[in-house]
Amino acid sequence: MLSAKSLFQEILDNDESFRLFCSIAASGESQGGWENGRIADLVPASERDLAPKVARHGADEDKHGRIFNALMKKRGLEPVEVPPETDYTMLLEQHGIGLAHEQLKRDERLTVRDIVTYLAHSRVTEQRASEQMDLLRKHFAGDPGIGHAVKLISADEDNHLAYCHEELLRFAYAGHGRDIQRILRECALAEIRVYRDVSLAVMDHMGRILGWPKAKAALLAAGIHAVYAYERLGGWRRMVSLTMPERRNALGGPPAGAAEFA
């Protein structure tokens, strides 16, 4: 029976597919760490209280990158180059989602509008990350190889999502509600297309590594297209709603370390 658990178990059990999976994940997390670090350095003076939370977000992403690299190291594996068609973060930027890297490389203060754009982008992408890690936690929390890492990263992603909700609501109450809803909608509709394309590319690479028959590859591709159809018809709306999270100030403290994976 083809299921999310059996599919990932197959990827996990093969060194080459596991190496590709971890390399893609580590690259994306490290890129997110750099982006958040630069944003924390460039927040406008009026939002200086937000800087430590953005920095904490970046530190968490850097930590996740180290964890995925450490998971490879535990199995004696080296990272591989990430195929560009599987680079979720890069493709989002190419679609105009979030703050451009060229802007972040300049030593110019961001505007409040830039911060709102960053938070709206993060609210959408952290929704995806939280859901993906929740799925892995459901099936692999008890796995001796990756269980601890999955639980740690999943908890962080939930915190990131809560932080985005709380900060966006703060900006909405300050009069930015219309901009926030517009940016969230644009970002969500772009993200679901990028996620579809990246998912198809990743499954294509995994299929070649694992020798999947054409029928299995076609079934998985059909499933990815079906998810996109659902999201395009209305599933994207879950990515744009804003509710005050139960856990307030989720990024207000120091980040948990990853020394056990170093």
Side-chain angles (χ1 to χ4, degrees):
M1 178 181 175
L2 190 60
S3 65
K5 182 178 182 179
S6 65
L7 179 64
F8 190 78
Q9 188 69 60
E10 191 175 357
I11 293 170
L12 178 65
D13 290 342
N14 180 282
D15 280 350
E16 287 303 308
S17 56
F18 182 71
R19 179 164 71 155
L20 178 59
F21 170 82
C22 287
S23 296
I24 292 171
S27 175
E29 297 285 358
S30 297
Q31 189 62 55
W34 176 84
E35 291 173 358
N36 279 276
R38 289 301 297 156
I39 291 168
D41 290 339
L42 300 174
V43 294
S46 63
E47 294 299 328
R48 59 184 178 274
D49 290 344
L50 187 62
K53 297 179 183 181
V54 181
R56 162 72 185 275
H57 191 177
D60 283 348
E61 303 287 0
D62 281 334
K63 176 183 68 179
H64 299 167
R66 295 195 304 273
I67 289 173
F68 282 114
N69 281 315
L71 289 174
M72 286 187 279
K73 186 177 181 180
K74 284 170 63 176
R75 286 173 55 163
L77 304 172
E78 293 292 330
V80 295
E81 186 175 349
V82 175
E85 64 273 17
T86 69
D87 193 331
Y88 174 79
T89 304
M90 179 190 72
L91 291 170
L92 284 175
E93 186 195 3
Q94 289 178 357
H95 282 74
I97 302 304
L99 302 181
H101 287 186
E102 285 303 314
Q103 180 182 10
L104 295 180
K105 290 175 182 177
R106 298 193 297 266
D107 289 325
E108 298 176 6
R109 288 288 172 187
L110 300 172
T111 65
V112 170
R113 184 183 178 83
D114 290 330
I115 296 300
V116 168
T117 298
Y118 147 71
L119 286 168
H121 166 236
S122 296
R123 187 264 176 270
V124 171
T125 57
E126 292 298 340
Q127 178 78 36
R128 183 74 70 185
S130 178
E131 290 172 353
Q132 289 183 319
M133 292 310 304
D134 186 60
L135 181 64
L136 289 178
R137 180 170 57 185
K138 175 183 176 181
H139 295 302
F140 295 96
D143 185 275
I146 66 168
H148 184 53
V150 164
K151 288 185 288 186
L152 191 155
I153 296 173
S154 181
D156 284 347
E157 302 296 6
D158 290 346
N159 283 340
H160 299 167
L161 185 58
Y163 145 78
C164 291
H165 275 270
E166 184 175 3
E167 295 301 332
L168 282 171
L169 283 170
R170 178 172 67 85
F171 278 106
Y173 296 147
H176 298 276
R178 286 179 179 269
D179 279 344
I180 289 170
Q181 283 302 316
R182 177 183 55 79
I183 297 168
L184 282 172
R185 185 180 188 279
E186 292 173 355
C187 183
L189 292 174
E191 192 279 342
I192 64 174
R193 291 193 299 272
V194 170
Y195 180 70
R196 175 201 60 192
D197 294 344
V198 167
S199 297
L200 289 169
V202 170
M203 288 300 103
D204 182 60
H205 282 277
M206 293 299 179
R208 288 200 296 269
I209 291 171
L210 297 169
W212 289 339
K214 289 183 179 180
K216 181 174 182 177
L219 182 60
L220 287 169
I224 292 169
H225 284 293
V227 169
Y228 172 72
Y230 157 74
E231 293 192 328
R232 187 65 183 85
L233 288 171
W236 61 272
R237 296 183 187 279
R238 76 190 190 284
M239 295 178 157
V240 304
S241 62
L242 293 175
T243 56
M244 188 59 71
E246 291 184 11
R247 181 172 185 185
R248 306 287 293 274
N249 197 29
L251 297 188
E260 65 271 33
F261 295 97

